[in-house]
Every structure is written in structure tokens, then in C-alpha cells.
């Protein structure tokens, strides 16, 4: 009888340990305030009877992409995509060859290219995309992503996604949350790979969006082409405005990393009940990059994490994620 | 032994009959080409191994609302909502009292009101909504819907939804389809009740959408207010354009009832594989209204079903639903 009891106790212990292991849905996170905040939030909002219980239909979580889900340094990959397409564009419209900003891009002068203002990048974007059928654009992005490589790691951009954040996406979905990308990047661009890379379907990608135009091909088949008209600038105040337009509910959790995410994080935190607003701090010079406020780096094209943003996070109760301290692993390809 | 076999046969027959009964997911439809087309389409796209099998993630079905999911005659209910709010607006801005179109609306002259052009209705809409916090708008619509009654049936507008179409929504969802409303009506308006009435969450309602503006209340809390800027006119070519913006995939099935749905139905039908485009024909003067092409009715504010649209449906292989012949019951409140 004692033997049986002992055996049962051992089995129970083993089962308990297995359950324990299974419940660590965030193995790439170090134990700390950030990880604890995520786990506590999920428990608080999904446990029946909890004062902060959120019905499944209202479990909306939004994630910025560049710098929050994948590397944004030294330049957004979508900007890379457009710059690399300039030779094609100029081949079709040779009159652009000696016109700025195309001239600078064609010069190959990296320093000069890096200094191009956002306005010039938008000109390049419009020239690259206007009149292109949306399916052609999708096919081209797919092809580019399969071939293009990040200059530092020499790997496809889609490899440079943060493993700890992918675990958060999975963990939230396993607990009934609908995960959205809310990016300043191009909506049509991100939608091409979001399903394969993040498990997020196109209809759950909100981004900077241009217009399209409905028309008919010679055989009478209808199709859509890209237009230079900007419908949604999904940055800053454009993020909560885009969330209202595309989702129609205030998120319960939001994740960002720069001043472009400030309003989304504020808007999320201001809702009733338990809310989670998190900010990824790039403070890991060795394993990724360091460009948080403490680093005193010059402003770059990448999202800026200012001291003011850090102060607001502390004051408003957002949780700051230190890449250096909170993440055990950053990329899936690294041990 | 024979008795057992007979018993088994009877049981099998009974089980078979029960299964048969269970598979009629469309009990409010008469057997006919329209019902058969829906059932055949679902079987064709969801049966593993079928040449036209559509993976669950791509099963997108879009539905127009006014005239397709609920009654649109004699006037869109959202227009009713706005007209009924004019006295409130004028109370706050008395200078509008003697200005058109407000003057006509305040006169109560039904005939004159019915003749107001769309441009005037948009003016009323802008005056009624601009600067209103989105949550206030949601609460007001909810309140109005609970009290307002359709002039003919003396019932809440939300009772005037078509039972056969609600069965189609359920049937498609039960087969892994994601159902969307794609309406010329106001997106924010329809989102208030779509979940309760159709089982369609706010994020699956695409409609005519105005801008919003992010700002802060006196206590520092951020909120969004409605702006007069039009972001998406979700009619005609605006429907496929809105689908691309908000969903990012071409639907596999689409349902409409007027020229405003033409492009959505074309766009859906032009995709590869099995596609279902359906058109509701209002030809039941007795149980609802008759304003199809055969009726020779004058153009009204409600969606128009022209002879040209009917001809395109026949040529392009869309399925026309006759309310009179295909629908056994129209409303849930009728026997």
C-alpha cells in the first residue's frame, strides 16, 4: 500500500513537473518584471470570475512591427525593397535618371542614400508602385524577401524576427487573443509574409495604406492597381485612428518600441480594466543594437525611443522590455 | 437474428434521416437553383480532395447589408437615424434652423425629405457627427436602435433582417468561412449591432468610413472623435477597394442586391476556382417590396437593381435569388 502511495506521489510529481514545463510559454524570456507582467496580465484577463476578465471577442492585442517584432536597423526593410527597385523603375522611365532622389539612389553612395529625407523616400515609393496590379506587387515582394539579405547577419529579413515576441504572439493566441500587427510600414508589404512569419493573416495587418483603383483588363477581368493616394499614415496618432478604422475596438494589450507607438500605447492603457502596454528597449549593442535614450545615439531613420517616451512609460505604467536583460535568446537561429 | 438485423436497419434509417434533417442548414429556403447553388458551392470548396478546395484561411465571404441582409425600403435606417437627430443638432447650433437641408428636415414634410439629394444627406451626416467621441456615437446608435421602429412593420429595424440570409451566414461560418459585411452604410453605425444581430464582430464590418481624430480629454485621457473627412466610400468600385484595404484577400463568395454591389460581385467571380456571386432580387411586393427591374418602379433612394445588372448576372454566372420564389420565410417574426 505504501509502495502504491509512493508510486502515485512520484507520478503526481512527474505530471506536475510536466505541467509546469508546459506552462512556460515564454522560454526565451528571463524571469523578471517584463515576463511576469505578461503572464499576470493573461491570467487576470482570461480567468473566469476574475474582476478583469475580458470576453474572448474583445481580446485584441496589437503589435508594432519594425523594432518590436523584427530588426529595424540600419533601415526598414521595406525602404531597402524600394531602393533596390529604383534601377527597374528608371529602366522603364529613363527621364528619372538625372532627377533627385533617383539620381542619389543610382549613385550607390550609401551615406548620401541614408541621408535622404522621408519625403524623398515617399517619392520613390510612389514611383515604384503606382499603377502596379496588387497581385504583381505581392509576387514581387515575395520574390525579393526570398533573396534579399540583411547586411549584418547575411540572412533573410524574415529570419530577423525576435523569438521572445513570437512566443508572446503564440501565448496570447493560445489564450484566445486575436493578434494584430499595427505598423507604420506598408500594409500591403507586411501582409505578404505576416501569415507565414508571425501566424497573422492579412486581414489582421493594419499599416500605412495607399489607395487602389478598380479597373478591367483587356479580357474584361477586373483587377486592382496601386494608387499614389495615401489613405492611412499608420504612425503616431494614425495608429489609434487606424485601429478604430480597421478593428473598431480598443486593444487590451499593445506592444511598441518608439515614439511612433506612443499614442497606441496610451490609447490601449486608457481603457477600463486590466491593460498591458509594453515598450521594447533596444539596449543590447552586442546581440542586436543599442539606440535607446541612454545610448545618446544620433537620431536615425529608425524609430526613436526618446527620454520623454521612457518617462511617459514609467508614469503611465507601461512595462519596458530590456532586450539585454529580459531576453534569453533574441533570434531563433542563435543558440 | 433477423429481428436484430431489422432493428439495426431501422436504427440506421432513423440515424440517416436525422443526419439528413441536420444537414438542412437552410430551412427557410425553398428547394431551387439558388439554394442548390449555395450548398454545392460549400461542398465544392470545403471537401478535402476537391479540385476547388479552399484552405480555411482563405474562406472569405462578403455581404452587402441594406437590401441584402435587411430591409432597405423606404429609406436606409442610418438615414432615418440622422434625420431624427437633426432637432438635437439644431438645438445646439440654432443658426442651422433656417438653412437647407436642415429647414426641410425640420418641416416634417415627408415627401420633401424623401427628395433630398445624397449631397444634402451627407451634409446632415457631417453636422450630426463631427466632433462626437466615437464611444458617444456608439451609445447613441444603440439607444436609437432600441427605440426606433420601421414605419410599416412597427418593429425595431434589427428585426427586419432576412432569416434565409442569416441562415447562409451561419451555414458558411459552420463550414469555416469568415463572414464580412461590406456595406455602403456607415462602418461605425453597422458595427454597433452587427455582432448581436448577425454574429459578425466589428472588425469584420467594412463600410463607408470617415476619419477620426486622436486627442486628450481634460483629465489627460486620450479619445477619438469623428471627423468630416471621408476615408472610404464603400459603394461601387469602392467595395473591392475597401475589401483590399480592410481584408487584403479576394472573397470566394459575395452577396449583394444592387448596382452598388456590381464591382464586388464581379471581383469575387473573377477569382480562380469555384466562386459564388449572388444577387437578391426584390420581387415580393406582398411579403416585402418589389423594386427589381421587371417592376418598372421609379428610381428611389434605395439601391437600384437595373436590367443591365440582371443581364450581367446572367452573363457572368451570378446566381439570382428571388425573394418570392426562393424564400419560404422572410422574417423570423413571421410564421
Amino acid at each position: 500500500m505504501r509502495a502504491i502511495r509512493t508510486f502515485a506521489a512520484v507520478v503526481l510529481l512527474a505530471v506536475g513537473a510536466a505541467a509546469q514545463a508546459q506552462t512556460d510559454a515564454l522560454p526565451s524570456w528571463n524571469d523578471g518584471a517584463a515576463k511576469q507582467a505578461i503572464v499576470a496580465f493573461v491570467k487576470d484577463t482570461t480567468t473566469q470570475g476574475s474582476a478583469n476578465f475580458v470576453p474572448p471577442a474583445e481580446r485584441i492585442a496589437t503589435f508594432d512591427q519594425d523594432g518590436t517584432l523584427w530588426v529595424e536597423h540600419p533601415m526598414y526593410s521595406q525602404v531597402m525593397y524600394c531602393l533596390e527597385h529604383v534601377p527597374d523603375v528608371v529602366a522603364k522611365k529613363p527621364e528619372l535618371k538625372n532627377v533627385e532622389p533617383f539620381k542619389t539612389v543610382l549613385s550607390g553612395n550609401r551615406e548620401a542614400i541614408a541621408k535622404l529625407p522621408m519625403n524623398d523616400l515617399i517619392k520613390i515609393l510612389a514611383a515604384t508602385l503606382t499603377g502596379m496590379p496588387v497581385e504583381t506587387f505581392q509576387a514581387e515582394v515575395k520574390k525579393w524577401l526570398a533573396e534579399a539579405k540583411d547586411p549584418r547577419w547575411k540572412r533573410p529579413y524574415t529570419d530577423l524576427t525576435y523569438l521572445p515576441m513570437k512566443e508572446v504572439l503564440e501565448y496570447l493566441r493560445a489564450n484566445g487573443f486575436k493578434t494584430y500587427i499595427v505598423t507604420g510600414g506598408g500594409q500591403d508589404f507586411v501582409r505578404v509574409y505576416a501569415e507565414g512569419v508571425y501566424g497573422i493573416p492579412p486581414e489582421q495587418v493594419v499599416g500605412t495604406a495607399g489607395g487602389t483603383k478598380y479597373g478591367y483588363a483587356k479580357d474584361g477581368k477586373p483587377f486592382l492597381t496601386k494608387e499614389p493616394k495615401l489613405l492611412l499614415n499608420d504612425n503616431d496618432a494614425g495608429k489609434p485612428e487606424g485601429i478604430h478604422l480597421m478593428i473598431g475596438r480598443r486593444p487590451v494589450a499593445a506592444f511598441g518600441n518608439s515614439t511612433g507607438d506612443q499614442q497606441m500605447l496610451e490609447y490601449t492603457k486608457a481603457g477600463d480594466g486590466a491593460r498591458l502596454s509594453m515598450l521594447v528597449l533596444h539596449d543590447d549593442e552586442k546581440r542586436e543594437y543599442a539606440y535607446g535614450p541612454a545610448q545618446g545615439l544620433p537620431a536615425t531613420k529608425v524609430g526613436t525611443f526618446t527620454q520623454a517616451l521612457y518617462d511617459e512609460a514609467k508614469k503611465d505604467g507601461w512595462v519596458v522590455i530590456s532586450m539585454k536583460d529580459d531576453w534569453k535568446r533574441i533570434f531563433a537561429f542563435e543558440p
Side-chain angles (χ1 to χ4, degrees), chain A:
Chain A
M1 188 68 171
R2 179 175 285 175
I4 291 174
R5 263 199 219 130
T6 307
F7 176 75
V10 166
V11 166
L12 280 172
L13 270 172
V15 168
Q20 187 66 34
Q22 274 171 6
T23 56
D24 188 8
L26 305 172
S28 300
W29 290 71
N30 289 316
D31 278 320
K35 179 175 178 171
Q36 281 161 21
I38 299 166
V39 174
F41 166 80
V42 168
K43 204 180 152 198
D44 197 19
T45 53
T46 63
T47 305
Q48 284 279 3
S50 156
N52 288 319
F53 180 78
V54 176
E58 292 169 24
R59 293 182 197 159
I60 303 285
T62 57
F63 292 79
D64 167 60
Q65 187 195 217
D66 294 299
T68 299
L69 293 179
W70 74 354
V71 173
E72 64 180 350
H73 210 75
M75 214 177 246
Y76 299 138
S77 62
Q78 188 175 3
V79 172
M80 299 291 227
Y81 165 80
C82 286
L83 294 178
E84 291 180 21
H85 273 71
V86 166
D88 286 355
V89 173
V90 173
K92 279 174 206 150
K93 298 180 193 169
E95 68 274 17
L96 295 176
K97 206 169 122 181
N98 294 309
V99 177
E100 287 299 355
F102 304 95
K103 199 177 156 186
T104 296
V105 176
L106 290 170
S107 76
N109 180 339
R110 282 186 177 227
E111 221 167 301
I113 293 170
K115 278 187 194 145
L116 288 174
M118 192 47 79
N119 213 23
D120 276 345
L121 296 176
I122 288 170
K123 264 188 213 163
I124 293 169
L125 213 80
T128 316
L129 305 179
T130 300
M132 189 184 278
V134 298
E135 276 94 357
T136 308
F137 176 72
Q138 286 159 358
E140 286 208 356
V141 172
K142 214 170 184 171
K143 188 166 168 274
W144 181 79
L145 281 171
E147 293 165 359
K149 295 225 160 42
D150 168 87
R152 174 169 159 188
W153 284 275
K154 321 281 180 214
R155 285 182 166 269
Y157 290 102
T158 49
D159 278 8
L160 299 179
T161 47
Y162 305 136
L163 185 60
M165 293 306 286
K166 288 173 91 166
E167 290 172 0
V168 173
L169 287 169
E170 283 281 355
Y171 177 50
L172 287 173
R173 288 195 291 259
N175 283 281
F177 282 82
K178 218 164 169 177
T179 54
Y180 281 81
I181 289 175
V182 177
T183 173
Q187 183 169 280
D188 282 354
F189 183 84
V190 180
R191 280 177 171 175
V192 173
Y193 58 86
E195 191 150 31
V197 172
Y198 302 115
I200 295 179
E203 60 269 28
Q204 285 164 226
V205 174
V206 179
T208 296
T212 54
K213 195 178 158 185
Y214 186 79
Y216 302 90
K218 276 181 197 155
D219 64 359
K221 284 232 171 189
F223 70 117
L224 293 169
T225 49
K226 288 178 83 69
E227 285 281 284
K229 190 182 160 198
L230 183 70
L231 290 183
L232 173 66
N233 178 356
D234 201 39
N235 283 297
D236 310 311
K239 289 213 174 189
E241 290 162 12
I243 288 169
H244 179 75
L245 175 68
M246 309 277 288
I247 310 175
R249 307 190 202 249
R250 194 191 290 247
V252 193
F255 301 77
N257 80 302
S258 82
T259 50
D261 304 312
Q262 178 198 333
Q263 289 84 347
M264 175 171 78
L265 296 167
E266 288 171 352
Y267 181 64
T268 301
K269 198 78 178 72
D272 297 329
R275 303 277 164 156
L276 183 68
S277 284
M278 297 192 88
L279 204 51
V280 176
L281 176 66
H282 293 262
D283 59 356
D284 196 327
E285 203 170 3
K286 212 174 140 199
R287 294 186 301 169
E288 203 238 13
Y289 294 104
Y291 49 97
Q295 277 70 32
L297 288 181
T300 63
K301 279 211 180 352
V302 303
T304 47
F305 190 135
T306 60
Q307 188 61 45
L309 187 69
Y310 190 82
D311 294 345
E312 182 173 354
K314 291 290 164 192
K315 198 178 147 224
D316 200 27
W318 312 348
V319 181
V320 175
I321 300 166
S322 158
M323 292 183 77
K324 198 174 162 188
D325 298 332
D326 287 313
W327 289 357
K328 207 178 284 176
R329 280 172 80 190
I330 293 188
F331 302 115
F333 60 81
E334 285 183 344

